[in-house]
Amino acid sequence: MPARLQSTSHGQTLVLTIHHPEMRNALDPGIYAAGVEALNGAERNAEVRSVVITGAGEHFCAGGNLQRLQERRQDGAEAQAQGVEGLHQWIETIHTYPKPVIAAVEGAAAGAGFSLALACDLIVAARNAAFVMAYAGIGLSPDGGATWSLAHALPRQLAAELLLCGERIGAERLHALGLVNRLARAGEALDCALALAETLNARAPNALASTKELLLEAPQHTLTEQLAHERNQFVRNLQHPNAGEGIAAFLEKRTPRYK
């Protein structure tokens, strides 16, 4: 069966499941396009407050389909570049998506699968999950924003170790390095991710969107520039009805009801 991306709803959380378990959920261009389409649709849907990306069966995602990559070596460079661009469009859509995106990782997250997890805002991983930047071992360099994500998250030497050595790294080590947010028991990563999503769903959507935007912009800004952007976002959110509801709920010692 070809790979596909399944969409299901869990309350206010959209769950996107990469479904190709016989190939450890290896990716293909159809998955990339479906991922972009799903996120664009969810962005317009006020009922969706968060997104969880996971894999069917025992693994998160094995990255690119190596058989397909071998066949693509016969194509021209332009056709090969278009395939990579499909992945990169999905990665960029996740980065700029205004609602929280959580990766729920069981088993292996390899190559572009690891890159996909890193593109998400938060990562929940089973304690026995394994992550590997497998590119160097098969004569390739990374894609999917892996170099950007790791260079922003880790000291250079640690990022180089993950990318150049291509060794399997356990979820517990990545948790210690700050790349994994929550550890779950094997088989419970999705449940843990959904619980985390529920926590985020209770927050003001406009405030979360502003925070994501500020985090995305911060590395390119000077402190002065970032302070100006924080000021503008703060004032915009202070004027939003959700701020009135949030402050009132805090003062009245009740649960806020955000829109």
Side-chain angles (χ1 to χ4, degrees):
M1 292 180 63
R4 63 188 190 277
L5 191 68
Q6 293 181 332
S7 298
T8 56
S9 295
H10 290 258
Q12 294 177 304
T13 301
L14 175 68
V15 178
L16 301 178
T17 304
I18 305 166
H19 199 280
H20 201 192
E22 61 274 19
M23 295 291 290
R24 295 192 173 189
N25 301 318
L27 299 169
D28 67 24
I31 293 287
Y32 312 148
V36 171
E37 182 180 358
L39 289 178
N40 287 339
E43 182 175 351
R44 297 188 294 268
N45 186 350
E47 296 300 314
V48 176
R49 295 285 184 94
S50 60
V51 174
V52 171
I53 299 176
T54 192
E58 298 179 355
H59 298 282
F60 178 70
C61 177
N65 184 323
L66 294 185
Q67 292 178 344
R68 182 175 170 276
L69 288 178
Q70 184 73 301
E71 293 169 0
R72 280 178 51 201
R73 294 187 65 250
Q74 310 306 317
D75 300 335
E78 183 176 348
Q80 293 168 348
Q82 287 177 350
V84 178
E85 282 298 324
L87 169 62
H88 288 180
Q89 185 179 2
W90 190 22
I91 294 296
E92 193 163 8
T93 300
I94 293 170
H95 270 288
T96 58
Y97 184 69
K99 304 173 186 181
V101 183
I102 304 169
V105 180
E106 296 279 354
F114 193 174
S115 299
L116 176 62
L118 290 170
C120 298
D121 300 303
L122 300 162
I123 299 176
V124 174
R127 288 185 178 274
N128 63 347
F131 298 76
V132 56
M133 281 296 171
Y135 301 94
I138 55 173
L140 290 172
S141 55
D143 60 1
T147 55
W148 189 93
S149 295
L150 292 174
H152 280 75
L154 297 174
R156 180 174 178 273
Q157 287 74 15
L158 285 173
E161 177 187 343
L162 293 180
L163 292 164
L164 299 179
C165 296
E167 298 170 342
R168 293 169 65 89
I169 306 294
E172 295 201 2
R173 185 181 180 202
L174 288 189
H175 183 259
L177 292 174
L179 288 176
V180 167
N181 299 89
R182 301 278 194 279
L183 291 171
R185 288 182 291 193
E188 297 183 6
L190 178 57
D191 289 341
C192 185
L194 289 171
L196 178 57
E198 282 299 310
T199 299
L200 296 169
N201 294 345
R203 308 290 190 227
N206 56 295
L208 295 185
S210 290
T211 302
K212 281 197 61 171
E213 185 176 333
L214 288 165
L215 281 170
L216 188 62
E217 294 172 341
Q220 288 78 44
H221 288 168
T222 64
L223 175 59
T224 299
E225 290 169 336
Q226 190 69 3
L227 288 172
H229 282 266
E230 287 188 355
R231 176 200 63 214
N232 295 342
Q233 293 282 12
F234 182 89
V235 171
R236 182 184 306 166
N237 288 306
L238 183 60
Q239 294 175 334
H240 195 284
N242 278 338
E245 167 63 12
I247 295 170
F250 180 84
L251 294 175
E252 297 165 12
K253 296 181 172 56
R254 61 175 175 81
T255 302
R257 296 178 293 275
Y258 294 120
K259 298 180 180 179

